[in-house]
Amino acid sequence: MNEKCTVRRAFVASGQVQGVGFRPFVYRLAHEGGLTGTVGNTSEGVRMEVQGAEAEVRRFGQRLQAELPPLARLTGLKEEALPPVAQEDAFAIVQSSGHAGHSVLVSPDVGVCADCLADMADPQNPRYNYPFTNCTNCGPRYTITRSIPYDRAVTSMSCFPLCPRCSAEYADPADRRFHAQPVACPVCGPTLWFVSKEDAAAGRTCPQWGSVQDKEALTRYALERSGQVLLDGGILAIKGLGGFQLACDARNARAVALLRQRKIRPHKPLALMAGDLATVRSLCDLTPEHEALLVSPEKPIVLCPRRQQGDSPALPLQVAPDTRQVGFMLPNTPLHSVLFDWLAAHAPQPPVLVMTSANAGGEPICLGNREALERLPHLADAWLLHDRDILVRVDDSVITLQPHAGPAAALSSASRPDRGEPLFYRRARGYVPRPVFLADSQATADAASTAASSDTPGATGMPDTSDTACPCEAASATATATGAAEGPTPACVLGTGAELKATVCITRGNEAFVGQHVGDLENPSVMAFYEEVVTHLEKLLEVRPKALVCDLHPDFLSTRYAEARAAREGLPLWRLQHHAAHAAAVLAENACFSPALALCLDGTGLGDDGTVWGGELLVMDLGRPEWRRLGRLSPFALPGGDAAVREPWRIAQGLMGQAGEYGHLDAASALAGAPWLPEHAQASRAVGEMLARGINCPATSSCGRLFDAVAAQAGLCMTTTYEGQAAIRLEDAANRAQGPMGDVLAGRAPLVDIRSIPGMIWPVGVTERGGLLELDSAGLFARVAQGLAHGMSVAEAAGLFHLSLAEALAGMAGRAARSLGITSVGLSGGVMQNAIMARLLPQALEYMGLKALTHHELPPGDGGLSLGQAVWGRRMLAAGRSTAC
């Protein structure tokens, strides 16, 4: 090669570029371009030095961005000119190097890929039916990783020395398993075995083997025994990807009832797993979007509409008694796949299993073999174990579909109601620790939007990022590539989350890492899990918080954790009101740093006035950062406090009395016909006394509690056994509405179609009181009670409630927006997991001339709240407000 035409450039790729086949991809590009040089993992990402003809080096940089491997994600690409190296004649993959501090993204766990399934199905393949098969494109990542750079030595696979065949594959850049850190085969990899309840009681919990043949026989025996337990109606504990799962035959009503009895879980929906997409199709009405999620590399649980099959449903109603939505997933590990293969060969119908977390109520999911054997004897009849350690507990992710944001007029009667974007109920396996990318200002966000909308690479040479979930991801990538983001790195902030559905969020530069779903923190073991997540994320990301943000509630264990740590480490601590954190989260996801409104609708959160909030209209300027409350649902009583959450009829009785005082209805007559009296007559009289004397009846503006009260008034739910049960039943009832109302509720027609039809939407008053706009909660409740009393069906009353509430909330937001000159409204809080409200509210806001901002990367409920806290802390530090409370 003519040395005068030879150039050398260094590229450093940051993002999700380790453990995803990036180095062999680079190796292939270099060879195809006739380039020499090196590639290796570093703490900054993947460093490449390429040398050759100038045109080929330039083409290498272009292809590097345009032809990424399926699991790779670039968040930045730095380039640097270097002097050519004399006599270099090859391109090599060099050993990883690292030091404290890095910008690498750890890959989430990835479901088993089609190529590995093909290997496992081939009797001539060495990995035939091997339940730990994986490659560069699939397998465990986050749950087996201790630290970065991501190499086998820092994973739980380090104790399995590679055999010659696996070692050759691991070292061959042309092989699909090149540097696939969990690579394994029956000769050198993990082993599967079966433990019965009798074996466990006798202490026979470890297998004995001495050869490959013995291990293969052990695997066959384990699958046969496990499959037979399931076919016989038993409950099997399976060591999955991020912890143990409890499985039983979902087609067997007795087995499902037994599992519910043992877990003390009478009604909460159970997740299901089918062996293939065809089986799910036979049981649910799927759209292409449902199917795409089910087969995606993340393999989440996807909420799907159950197919109506007459009086003899193919699945027992007990799998999800409160809703027609059922949560399905496909096998996400080779172990699940081979188990389903065995069942398919021996079961009379295509197998469907309940696949739920292996834990008693209120406890974290089981992690290790000993732990599972000690904690699960009262739940499981047998255990399917293996010896690959799980380092991090991660539960399954749960996703539904929300409608696409866009003009309501685009909807037609032919529109499918459930087409749309993924909406998280629970974000965990497959998605954690994927970060949310943060913009630092509205200007950055606007630049990102421009970059994201471009169809061609700009002057920076970065790829089109229009398919990213959030415009600020493009901002991060563009700024990093050009060097525009050079300057002080934003300080690391820890958002400690809430009490229920707890998560934590840690920022690193312009990335926010929201940890996996932890659960409810009342149990000490869950709190220990919570601390495990914080410790592991800090270790993995190599960061330490410089400030903390917690909830305003002093009794939340997450708050106490933050207070203790701030005091111990001398860190500033901000206490951010619950709904302000929701607002900050949805605005940050949408890179909105200019003043915006936010409707934050959920169950309960302590307000800054000491009362219980939950149906709030806020205005927030995240750029400054500042917020204040503009409106709410008019307050109503919670007779008995927390008891009212467990017994929604108490709230209904309080609202009934309040509506009577305001002249909305005849409270005495309404109470005489209350549906809860047959079962709760004596308690109802006591509640009446409490209300009359104002004893233990805290006031709330909670939208979630209003849903509960309406569900009780409709006779749908008098007592709850899990959070959100009453609202789920009310939503399910509304989905049964017929005619034009049913079309709008289901998304087959736009809301505008029925606005002019009398009686289709109840008028709900919005007045100003004490400086706040108030939506008349009692008046809306009275409309429901009157409608039911005059013979209205429960489905129609439930539908009218949803329609009228959405219209009233949008009207309240519109009134505030006009007075402030604001055009955007964030929608957050657990109520936004209601699919009807998620459809109606954006349409109603659009009718008011407002743009709805919704969650797309995190749950709208408390699982996404820690992001808002962390972002608020970053903005407080950026504004120079380093003195926290």
Side-chain angles (χ1 to χ4, degrees), residues 113-312:
C113 70
D115 288 335
C116 284
L117 289 174
D119 289 347
M120 294 163 58
D122 180 4
Q124 305 305 312
N125 192 289
R127 293 182 175 86
Y128 176 61
N129 276 348
Y130 183 57
F132 304 97
T133 302
N134 67 86
C135 70
T136 303
N137 296 322
C138 69
R141 299 288 197 276
Y142 178 57
T143 53
I144 64 167
T145 301
R146 291 187 179 90
S147 62
I148 288 293
Y150 175 68
D151 281 315
R152 191 178 179 96
V154 296
T155 73
S156 60
M157 290 297 296
S158 60
C159 59
F160 296 97
L162 293 172
C163 68
R165 180 179 59 242
C166 286
S167 183
E169 293 172 335
Y170 184 86
D172 181 1
D175 195 279
R176 197 175 89 247
R177 294 187 169 88
F178 174 75
H179 277 239
Q181 308 307 340
V183 68
C185 77
V187 174
C188 61
T191 300
L192 188 72
W193 69 94
F194 173 86
V195 175
S196 67
K197 186 167 283 189
E198 294 74 22
D199 289 335
R204 298 188 297 270
T205 59
C206 295
Q208 298 294 322
W209 67 87
S211 67
V212 174
Q213 288 75 24
D214 290 337
K215 289 175 67 174
E216 292 177 341
L218 201 62
T219 295
R220 289 194 299 272
Y221 176 77
L223 293 172
E224 291 169 3
R225 288 293 306 273
S226 297
Q228 201 59 54
V229 167
L230 294 168
L231 293 180
D232 291 343
I235 298 172
L236 179 69
I238 301 173
K239 190 175 185 180
L241 199 57
F244 277 77
Q245 298 162 310
L246 292 174
C248 73
D249 183 357
R251 298 185 187 270
N252 186 331
R254 290 186 177 180
V256 175
L258 178 63
L259 177 59
R260 285 197 175 280
Q261 179 185 0
R262 290 185 182 178
K263 283 203 75 171
I264 316 177
R265 185 175 174 172
H267 304 115
K268 190 174 182 179
L270 295 166
L272 306 178
M273 181 180 282
D276 52 48
L277 193 58
T279 302
V280 186
R281 286 192 189 118
S282 71
L283 299 167
C284 297
D285 294 318
L286 301 181
T287 65
E289 288 82 1
H290 285 113
E291 296 189 3
L293 278 173
L294 285 164
V295 302
S296 67
E298 293 84 0
K299 296 289 192 302
I301 298 169
V302 182
L303 298 185
C304 306
R306 179 163 31 189
R307 178 166 294 169
Q308 300 304 299
Q309 297 174 323
D311 297 331
S312 301

Side-chain angles (χ1 to χ4, degrees), residues 735-790:
N735 280 323
R736 301 176 192 276
Q738 303 296 314
M741 179 193 297
D743 289 340
V744 170
L745 292 169
R748 293 185 292 269
L751 182 58
V752 69
D753 281 4
I754 64 169
R755 277 198 171 89
S756 60
I757 302 177
M760 282 294 182
I761 297 175
W762 288 318
V764 180
V766 175
T767 59
E768 186 171 346
R769 182 177 291 109
L772 293 176
L773 296 174
E774 284 194 350
L775 186 154
D776 187 3
S777 309
L780 179 54
F781 176 84
R783 292 278 190 175
V784 175
Q786 289 169 336
L788 292 167
H790 288 88

Side-chain angles (χ1 to χ4, degrees), residues 825-844:
V825 183
L827 299 174
S828 191
V831 170
M832 295 312 301
Q833 290 177 321
N834 177 307
I836 295 176
M837 295 298 289
R839 274 192 288 272
L840 295 180
L841 257 177
Q843 290 186 50

Side-chain angles (χ1 to χ4, degrees), residues 697-709:
C697 292
T700 184
S701 55
S702 167
C703 191
R705 300 291 82 86
L706 181 60
F707 272 82
D708 293 351

Side-chain angles (χ1 to χ4, degrees), residues 254-554:
R254 290 186 177 180
V256 175
L258 178 63
L259 177 59
R260 285 197 175 280
Q261 179 185 0
R262 290 185 182 178
K263 283 203 75 171
I264 316 177
R265 185 175 174 172
H267 304 115
K268 190 174 182 179
L270 295 166
L272 306 178
M273 181 180 282
D276 52 48
L277 193 58
T279 302
V280 186
R281 286 192 189 118
S282 71
L283 299 167
C284 297
D285 294 318
L286 301 181
T287 65
E289 288 82 1
H290 285 113
E291 296 189 3
L293 278 173
L294 285 164
V295 302
S296 67
E298 293 84 0
K299 296 289 192 302
I301 298 169
V302 182
L303 298 185
C304 306
R306 179 163 31 189
R307 178 166 294 169
Q308 300 304 299
Q309 297 174 323
D311 297 331
S312 301
L315 292 173
L317 293 176
Q318 296 99 307
V319 297
D322 296 328
T323 175
R324 285 184 288 182
Q325 299 279 319
V326 287
F328 261 107
M329 59 180 158
L330 297 181
N332 49 66
T333 72
L335 172 55
H336 291 97
S337 182
V338 294
L339 179 60
F340 267 89
D341 288 345
W342 189 95
L343 289 169
H346 296 84
Q349 293 178 280
V352 181
L353 299 179
V354 169
M355 197 68 67
T356 188
S357 56
N359 58 305
E363 295 181 356
I365 188 172
C366 287
L367 190 70
N369 293 343
R370 291 190 186 92
E371 181 184 359
L373 289 164
E374 292 172 0
R375 287 177 51 192
L376 302 180
H378 65 296
L379 298 177
D381 297 308
W383 291 258
L384 185 56
L385 304 178
H386 59 76
D387 53 357
R388 185 181 68 201
D389 288 340
I390 304 168
L391 301 182
V392 186
R393 302 173 207 267
V394 180
D395 219 326
D396 296 311
S397 295
V398 183
I399 295 181
T400 189
L401 289 170
Q402 64 177 337
H404 286 301
L411 285 170
S412 70
S413 58
S415 297
R416 292 297 298 268
D418 36 17
R419 291 182 184 269
E421 301 174 346
L423 173 67
F424 283 98
Y425 276 50
R426 184 169 71 201
R427 183 178 182 270
R429 178 186 54 76
Y431 298 92
V432 173
R434 187 179 297 168
V436 176
F437 292 90
L438 304 174
D440 282 322
S441 66
Q442 188 62 42
T444 308
D446 291 341
S449 297
T450 302
S453 63
S454 174
D455 291 330
T456 57
T460 63
M462 286 301 293
D464 170 28
T465 52
S466 59
D467 60 343
T468 56
C470 180
C472 52
E473 181 169 344
S476 174
T478 304
T480 305
T482 62
E486 298 295 338
T489 301
C492 172
V493 178
L494 171 63
T496 60
E499 186 81 349
L500 305 180
K501 298 181 175 65
T503 62
V504 299
C505 178
I506 298 176
T507 67
R508 183 185 68 179
N510 289 330
E511 302 161 338
F513 296 84
V514 179
Q516 64 267 37
H517 167 87
V518 173
D520 301 346
L521 300 184
E522 297 101 328
N523 189 303
S525 59
V526 179
M527 190 62 208
F529 173 30
Y530 172 94
E531 295 183 10
E532 285 176 13
V533 173
V534 176
T535 300
H536 185 69
L537 280 176
E538 289 181 12
K539 180 180 178 182
L540 202 61
L541 301 172
E542 295 183 355
V543 295
R544 294 286 290 179
K546 301 300 182 183
L548 293 90
V549 185
C550 65
D551 195 271
L552 193 63
H553 202 300

